[in-house]
Amino acid sequence: MKFVLGCFGDYLPFSGMQASLLDGAAMRDRFILSKLNGVVMGVTRCFEDYEFGKSVQVLEQFLKGQLCDVYLELTKPAVYTQATDAASLAARDKSRAVLWTCLDVFLRLLHPICPFITEELWQRLPGRGKGLVHEEKTSIMISAWPTAVASWASSSAEKAMEMFVLAAVEGARSLRADCKLLKKPADFVVACSDEEAIAAMKAQVDDFTTLADAKSVSVSGDEPAADSAGKKYAVKVVNDKVKVFVDLKSVEGLGGGGGGGGSGG
């Protein structure tokens, strides 16, 4: 939690923040808000059905599998940017606003199960107690139970992230393991079989670059020519729409000799 709170810097929430979260939001922002929306509905349903154990599983899956492993990793370049141009600052503040909202909602959902620690953490969110958020209460105990926000639900954002981007990242990481590339930067090519996959990957090429530790990424509808132009490729078939290629000769110290020339799906 200390690391997460460090992401906010001098950021403070503001009245109307929740209503403006989708304005200029990146795909990763829309993805996590859609997932958060599903968690709100899922945990509420669990409580209504007295399935308290299942509610913990839903919350844990969101916190570890989606918020920490995916969203936090993807937003590190944005929240820690040193750039001062308007676009970079807007992306930074959007990421911080989305993260603040995710933590606020998550803690309120967890509070009935884990009351004391959630109160402590909720009080530590930036801006708490300053009246900056509409209808903010003095304690999480008397705060409103979260409700689903229809506009946050986005099956297209979830599909683009999970079926294409995250699947391609898993393919890249598998190639790294198979070819013993460790964490060394490498050149990747993502070959997609249809326009939907191409559009999703191009829109989120920065996210793929971040999670795959890529030196460069090319997204195309065509597969690269095998071992041409001084390159040596290994390939991972991700699914019927995505294949990931890594140029072994682009990896410092490897020289194209490690790992072999291909990998199955």
Side-chain angles (χ1 to χ4, degrees), residues 73-74 76-77 205-214:
E73 291 300 314
L74 291 179
K76 282 180 181 177
V205 69
D206 289 345
D207 291 339
F208 176 88
T209 301
T210 297
L211 294 183
D213 292 309

Side-chain angles (χ1 to χ4, degrees), residues 112-131:
I113 300 168
C114 193
F116 300 107
I117 189 65
T118 49
E119 177 74 57
E120 176 68 22
L121 295 176
W122 188 82
Q123 295 289 353
R124 292 189 183 188
L125 286 178
R128 188 66 75 202
K130 297 182 178 180

Side-chain angles (χ1 to χ4, degrees), residues 117-211:
I117 189 65
T118 49
E119 177 74 57
E120 176 68 22
L121 295 176
W122 188 82
Q123 295 289 353
R124 292 189 183 188
L125 286 178
R128 188 66 75 202
K130 297 182 178 180
L132 301 176
V133 179
H134 181 61
E135 296 184 348
E136 181 184 74
K137 304 299 182 181
T138 57
S139 169
I140 194 174
M141 290 189 295
I142 56 175
S143 295
W145 182 255
T147 56
V149 180
S151 61
W152 289 359
S154 176
S155 58
S156 61
E158 292 191 34
K159 179 181 179 181
M161 182 66 79
E162 294 175 333
M163 184 173 180
F164 303 131
V165 179
L166 295 182
V169 168
E170 284 303 308
R173 289 173 173 173
S174 180
L175 280 172
R176 283 189 172 280
D178 293 345
C179 301
K180 299 178 175 60
L181 306 184
L182 303 178
K183 298 286 285 185
K184 296 178 180 178
D187 294 340
F188 287 92
V189 176
V190 182
C192 306
S193 64
D194 66 15
E195 292 302 319
E196 181 185 23
I198 292 173
M201 288 303 307
K202 285 188 174 180
Q204 295 174 265
V205 69
D206 289 345
D207 291 339
F208 176 88
T209 301
T210 297
L211 294 183

Side-chain angles (χ1 to χ4, degrees), residues 3-235:
F3 168 77
V4 176
L5 292 176
C7 293
F8 291 109
D10 59 357
Y11 179 80
L12 292 174
F14 55 90
S15 181
M17 179 181 70
Q18 181 172 307
S20 65
L21 285 179
L22 293 177
D23 297 343
M27 184 71 73
R28 59 179 174 269
D29 302 320
R30 293 192 283 125
F31 164 78
I32 200 64
L33 287 173
S34 185
K35 287 295 186 182
L36 179 64
N37 206 51
V39 169
V40 170
M41 293 187 291
V43 173
T44 300
R45 187 161 50 247
C46 286
F47 272 72
E48 291 172 346
D49 295 339
Y50 300 99
E51 294 182 314
F52 304 118
K54 185 177 179 181
S55 71
V56 174
Q57 294 175 356
V58 172
L59 287 166
E60 182 181 22
Q61 182 180 21
F62 172 75
L63 179 66
K64 294 173 62 177
Q66 293 153 4
L67 186 62
C68 292
D69 288 353
V70 178
Y71 189 72
L72 270 178
E73 291 300 314
L74 291 179
T75 56
K76 282 180 181 177
V79 298
Y80 292 118
T81 182
Q82 298 299 312
T84 57
D85 60 283
S88 296
L89 295 178
R92 181 197 66 186
D93 288 347
K94 181 63 64 178
S95 295
R96 288 173 171 175
V98 171
L99 181 57
W100 193 99
T101 300
C102 287
L103 292 174
D104 173 67
V105 171
F106 175 83
L107 290 171
R108 283 188 282 147
L109 291 172
L110 182 61
H111 181 68
I113 300 168
C114 193
F116 300 107
I117 189 65
T118 49
E119 177 74 57
E120 176 68 22
L121 295 176
W122 188 82
Q123 295 289 353
R124 292 189 183 188
L125 286 178
R128 188 66 75 202
K130 297 182 178 180
L132 301 176
V133 179
H134 181 61
E135 296 184 348
E136 181 184 74
K137 304 299 182 181
T138 57
S139 169
I140 194 174
M141 290 189 295
I142 56 175
S143 295
W145 182 255
T147 56
V149 180
S151 61
W152 289 359
S154 176
S155 58
S156 61
E158 292 191 34
K159 179 181 179 181
M161 182 66 79
E162 294 175 333
M163 184 173 180
F164 303 131
V165 179
L166 295 182
V169 168
E170 284 303 308
R173 289 173 173 173
S174 180
L175 280 172
R176 283 189 172 280
D178 293 345
C179 301
K180 299 178 175 60
L181 306 184
L182 303 178
K183 298 286 285 185
K184 296 178 180 178
D187 294 340
F188 287 92
V189 176
V190 182
C192 306
S193 64
D194 66 15
E195 292 302 319
E196 181 185 23
I198 292 173
M201 288 303 307
K202 285 188 174 180
Q204 295 174 265
V205 69
D206 289 345
D207 291 339
F208 176 88
T209 301
T210 297
L211 294 183
D213 292 309
K215 183 164 53 177
S216 71
V217 181
S218 173
V219 179
S220 173
D222 301 315
E223 297 183 13
D227 301 346
S228 64
K231 299 179 184 296
K232 181 179 178 63
Y233 288 106
V235 59

